[in-house]
Amino acid sequence: MPALSVTLIGVVVALAAGALRHLHPARTALPALFGAWAGFAAGAVVGVITDVISGSGSWLAVIGHLAAVAGAVLAVRAWALGPARDRGAATDGGSAR
């Protein structure tokens, strides 16, 4: 059931990113959930195509969930953590590079 598993992937990635970067979980939750669902949607398209070609019927779930993990991680890195340049500017007094 992807509704539960993809949402759980987003929550786990949000909690892990928050713990590793010492961020509040609310800051990472929405990007992680959005990224997990967007990744699953993109991966499911690739999975359906792979299922049709291979005739197996199991690739949609595998590729979809792997893409959900990748999507959640990328979304947290892009939205919750921000660009590395901005993080560096906050620690060096805001000087331009």
Side-chain angles (χ1 to χ4, degrees):
M1 177 181 243
L4 179 62
S5 59
V6 174
T7 302
L8 186 61
I9 286 169
V11 169
V12 168
V13 168
L15 291 174
L20 292 174
R21 298 290 185 165
H22 305 288
L23 298 171
H24 194 275
R27 183 171 179 188
T28 58
L30 191 58
L33 288 172
F34 177 77
W37 277 104
F40 183 80
V45 171
V46 174
V48 165
I49 293 169
T50 306
D51 279 344
V52 169
I53 292 170
S54 69
S56 70
S58 62
W59 288 107
L60 184 144
V62 172
I63 296 173
H65 285 87
L66 288 174
V69 172
V73 169
L74 291 174
V76 167
R77 288 185 67 189
W79 289 321
L81 301 180
R85 180 177 49 127
D86 291 344
R87 286 194 306 271
T91 59
D92 66 2
S95 63
R97 294 184 180 180

